[in-house]
Amino acid sequence: MFDSFDEETGELSRLEYYADGTYKRFFTNAEVVGKFSTGPVEHQLLFGTEYRHNAENPRFQFSNPYPSINVFNPIYSGLRYEIAPEFFRVDNVDTIGVYLQDQINLLSNLKVLAGVRYDYVDQFRTTQDLGEPREEFEQRDSNFSPRFGVVYQPIQPLSLYASYTTSFSPSFAASLNEDDSTFDPETGRQVEVGIKADILDQLSLTLAAFDIRKQNVSTPDPENPLFSVQTGEVASRGAELNLGGEILPGWNIAASYTYLDAFVSQDNTDIVGNDLANAPDNQISLWTSYEIQQGNLQGLGLGLGLFYVGDRPGDLDNTFELPSYFRTDAALFYKRNNWRAQLNLENLFNVEYFSSANYGSRLGINPGAPLRVLGKLSVEF
């Protein structure tokens, strides 16, 4: 784990880091679907409820110094250190959700969807430093989240749609502001409009425009990246173009282009207008594969993937930037009856790139994986 970095000498100070624990998850849900008509209008009503219980008991070690390393002349000592956890947590989180949705066929070519969801989250968490008394944190949050949508088909191969959805996510109960007040739940809403055209029987083109707003988003604190602060509101707006399906028998394609303008839209500091970390303006992806349909080589196929990610900020203050990159993947596969063998080559040309930055810091930059070869053999019964 990094501690500090001297840009002139290249010396990176490090800390011993260890984490383990026990984690238990329980989830159950039940749904009832009913269909009925009110005159000429058809309804499909969905009622559901779900329950989640998360029980976690992690422990950590992160304070003891570890020998530094020089990034310009790295010497990997591989020294082992004693495992002695110093920070402990016990977390119990119960979530209850209830939702109701009605899909209404107003006309044969006009459908409307309306729904609402209610969530109640009860968190009880404790933290303890070694040799110190245990601290307890309890937090209860609830919220209603409505959603609406409409789809209209002026002609059979063309669909126009619009949707409005909202979201709700409680903050971590042990996360506190500088004045010891709890973080507010993260809320959001998304507005999207789009058009989908069926070019061929199995090939479609979709164009969508969206505007997403989230309030109380937790981000790394520029003053101390190991802690978080909540921004007033962040926005992500843009457009996405997708082409997917089968062009010819055996030849499939999935291509997309995304333009994204992600920024801080409201805040009580001077970061309003700053771009969000790790959010590129432009992304392009293409995956295409061909499988031989007949003859002795039937079932043999090849795949090729091209991925471009544009420049993006590494932190919320926009003090540094991660450069764009272009990556190529490939695949070779063979299918016969219920057997399938596949060989994937990721980052085919071993391109060096940075995938993301953590903690809003230059010290938390993640390099992209080098060339990897993965094999898979499967059988279906």
Side-chain angles (χ1 to χ4, degrees):
M1 179 177 175
F2 67 82
D3 185 24
S4 62
F5 179 61
D6 188 321
E7 295 187 11
E8 293 185 2
T9 65
E11 201 69 19
L12 177 67
S13 299
R14 300 183 292 178
L15 299 171
E16 298 174 355
Y17 179 79
Y18 174 80
D20 73 353
T22 58
Y23 300 84
K24 298 178 182 179
R25 305 280 190 270
F26 176 79
F27 171 77
T28 184
N29 76 313
E31 293 184 341
V32 177
V33 179
K35 297 182 179 180
F36 61 95
S37 298
T38 54
V41 179
E42 298 179 353
H43 298 260
Q44 180 170 301
L45 195 65
L46 168 67
F47 173 77
T49 182
E50 63 183 44
Y51 170 72
R52 298 174 184 268
H53 176 73
N54 294 344
E56 302 179 357
N57 186 17
R59 55 182 190 157
F60 305 91
Q61 173 181 338
F62 46 68
S63 295
N64 300 325
Y66 187 77
S68 64
I69 190 170
N70 193 287
V71 299
F72 302 129
N73 183 28
I75 299 176
Y76 302 98
S77 61
L79 294 175
R80 300 179 66 88
Y81 53 85
E82 181 183 358
I83 303 301
E86 58 187 316
F87 180 76
F88 309 86
R89 278 202 347 247
V90 177
D91 302 329
N92 286 279
V93 182
D94 293 290
T95 303
I96 298 174
V98 181
Y99 49 94
L100 179 66
Q101 173 183 295
D102 191 9
Q103 180 177 306
I104 307 169
N105 293 345
L106 296 175
L107 301 171
S108 61
N109 62 345
L110 178 62
K111 297 179 180 180
V112 175
L113 182 144
V116 64
R117 178 185 174 99
Y118 173 77
D119 288 287
Y120 173 80
V121 182
D122 185 354
Q123 301 183 63
F124 181 75
R125 302 180 188 269
T126 70
T127 64
Q128 182 180 24
D129 290 299
L130 187 64
E132 298 292 333
R134 186 175 294 274
E135 294 187 70
E136 296 183 352
F137 304 88
E138 191 166 9
Q139 183 172 310
R140 296 182 178 91
D141 297 288
S142 61
N143 196 61
F144 285 96
S145 304
R147 60 180 304 205
F148 305 96
V150 59
V151 178
Y152 174 61
Q153 287 182 283
I155 55 176
Q156 186 61 35
L158 189 66
S159 298
L160 309 176
Y161 70 89
S163 67
Y164 172 86
T165 59
T166 58
S167 63
F168 162 75
S169 178
S171 63
F172 189 78
S175 297
L176 301 175
N177 291 295
E178 291 183 348
D179 61 0
D180 286 337
S181 61
T182 59
F183 279 3
D184 294 326
E186 178 185 303
T187 58
R189 66 101 176 126
Q190 174 177 329
V191 178
E192 181 175 338
V193 294
I195 180 172
K196 179 182 178 182
D198 295 324
I199 303 173
L200 302 172
D201 288 342
Q202 300 186 58
L203 182 66
S204 61
L205 179 69
T206 303
L207 175 63
F210 55 87
D211 187 301
I212 304 171
R213 306 281 168 146
K214 290 185 177 181
Q215 296 78 35
N216 305 320
V217 177
S218 296
T219 60
D221 185 348
E223 304 297 328
N224 190 341
L226 295 179
F227 292 88
S228 297
V229 294
Q230 284 190 309
T231 56
E233 181 185 81
V234 298
S236 299
R237 59 190 184 190
E240 189 171 54
L241 180 66
N242 290 283
L243 175 66
E246 190 175 46
I247 300 177
L248 295 171
W251 182 13
N252 291 277
I253 187 173
S256 69
Y257 166 72
T258 301
Y259 169 74
L260 180 65
D261 181 19
F263 59 97
V264 179
S265 50
Q266 295 179 19
D267 200 71
N268 55 7
T269 66
D270 59 357
I271 62 173
V272 173
N274 284 13
D275 293 333
L276 299 187
N278 300 308
D281 288 347
N282 297 282
Q283 292 187 79
I284 303 173
S285 67
L286 168 66
W287 178 262
T288 183
S289 64
Y290 179 73
E291 179 183 337
I292 298 174
Q293 300 294 292
Q294 56 187 359
N296 294 332
L297 297 179
Q298 182 179 354
L300 179 65
L302 297 170
L304 179 67
L306 306 174
F307 306 92
Y308 170 80
V309 176
D311 299 338
R312 61 265 186 227
D315 64 348
L316 195 59
D317 279 347
N318 296 176
T319 61
F320 70 98
E321 188 174 76
L322 302 179
S324 62
Y325 66 87
F326 184 87
R327 193 188 81 231
T328 304
D329 294 352
L332 174 67
F333 58 89
Y334 180 70
K335 296 191 298 185
R336 176 66 68 181
N337 299 323
N338 59 334
W339 291 84
R340 181 183 177 94
Q342 183 164 332
L343 189 67
N344 292 331
L345 291 87
E346 300 179 1
N347 196 0
L348 181 63
F349 299 110
N350 201 30
V351 174
E352 295 182 354
Y353 67 96
F354 301 115
S355 60
S356 61
N358 293 337
Y359 313 115
S361 169
R362 288 179 172 86
L363 301 184
I365 295 177
N366 299 312
L371 169 65
R372 295 197 300 174
V373 180
L374 304 173
K376 179 180 179 182
L377 180 65
S378 61
V379 59
E380 295 182 358
F381 297 96

